[in-house]
Amino acid sequence: DQQVKQNSPSLSVQEGRISILNCDYTNSMFDYFLWYKKYPAEGPTFLISISSIKDKNEDGRFTVFLNKSAKHLSLHIVPSQPGDSAVYFCAATEGGSGNTGKLIFGQGTTLQVKP
Amino acid sequence: NAGVTQTPKFQVLKTGQSMTLQCAQDMNHNSMYWYRQDPGMGLRLIYYSASEGTTDKGEVPNGYNVSRLNKREFSLRLESAAPSQTSVYFCASSGDRVNYEQYFGPGTRLTVT
């Protein structure tokens, strides 16, 4: 039972254009969402996050949108750069005082930005 | 400040052999996690330790044991390795229950033949 799904295994975009990576979830108890970026032979690194009380969070070229009613979030990268080529994972967690900090990850989407 | 360190970086085992993957963090984080990454499967949680002295099963704990040696160190043991345990293993830590960010180590690539 995959609670967090990234249905596009790969995405290819031209440098300078927008990259949109999508993520769907099924657990309505999730209330905090994160995006991680992973280069080959390295560990994942945190990129951006969003709380369920917001519908948008922006950090430079990266913006995450959350649609709670659709249980869907997306990561927009504008403009895309060749250095953005990596695997992107979305993750979710249930908040609250009893939360242990466990993250549930999606399968990942490999982004290739062509020069 | 090294963050999260893992040893070894690479390991090849024969079926039935045992080994321990080591993880240490120097960020004074309370929580530590072990994940495995397999193609098309994302990162799956094996075990976690919400605080020193506690450990709990994640999504895929079978075939593994863990020890939270102290606040800094969290080890993962394979008692009798199987080819299905061929994977890349990541350790992570977190200390912030506000934004839930986890910091990952560089990974251990394990092959079981």
Side-chain angles (χ1 to χ4, degrees), chain B residues 55-111:
Chain B
T55 60
D56 283 289
K57 295 178 181 179
E59 302 169 71
V60 288
N62 291 344
Y64 305 94
N65 285 302
V66 290
S67 295
R68 182 74 184 267
L69 304 169
N70 48 54
K71 191 170 186 179
R72 288 188 64 247
E73 298 171 288
F74 188 38
S75 63
L76 178 71
R77 182 160 178 84
L78 287 69
E79 290 290 351
S80 178
S84 61
Q85 294 178 304
T86 294
S87 188
V88 182
Y89 291 85
F90 291 100
C91 177
S93 70
S94 72
D96 191 340
R97 295 294 166 79
V98 175
N99 66 25
Y100 303 104
E101 181 180 344
Q102 292 184 13
Y103 296 81
F104 283 80
T108 295
R109 184 173 292 275
L110 174 67
T111 302

Side-chain angles (χ1 to χ4, degrees), chain B residues 10-66:
Chain B
F10 302 94
Q11 184 72 47
V12 179
L13 291 178
K14 294 187 188 305
T15 297
Q17 288 184 318
S18 63
M19 77 161 296
T20 300
L21 282 67
Q22 306 286 354
C23 174
Q25 52 91 8
D26 62 3
M27 295 173 281
N28 201 36
H29 285 166
N30 285 320
S31 302
M32 298 185 73
Y33 310 84
W34 276 106
Y35 294 90
R36 59 179 289 173
Q37 185 196 4
D38 302 292
M41 302 293 288
L43 291 156
R44 292 183 293 169
L45 183 64
I46 304 171
Y47 270 93
Y48 67 99
S49 172
S51 60
E52 187 179 356
T54 68
T55 60
D56 283 289
K57 295 178 181 179
E59 302 169 71
V60 288
N62 291 344
Y64 305 94
N65 285 302
V66 290

Side-chain angles (χ1 to χ4, degrees), chain A residues 41-115:
Chain A
E42 295 183 10
T45 55
F46 171 75
L47 190 57
I48 192 170
S49 62
I50 188 167
S51 165
S52 61
I53 62 173
K54 296 183 176 181
D55 54 18
K56 176 182 175 181
N57 188 29
E58 190 172 354
D59 183 1
R61 296 186 296 114
F62 302 91
T63 303
V64 56
F65 296 91
L66 175 62
N67 182 333
K68 289 187 291 292
S69 61
K71 293 190 177 69
H72 177 83
L73 64 155
S74 60
L75 174 68
H76 293 210
I77 306 174
V78 184
S80 301
Q81 299 173 354
D84 296 329
S85 297
V87 179
Y88 290 78
F89 293 100
C90 70
T93 187
E94 299 179 27
S97 59
N99 182 269
T100 58
K102 288 193 302 180
L103 297 178
I104 306 299
F105 284 84
Q107 306 96 311
T109 296
T110 300
L111 173 65
Q112 181 185 30
V113 180
K114 297 179 179 178

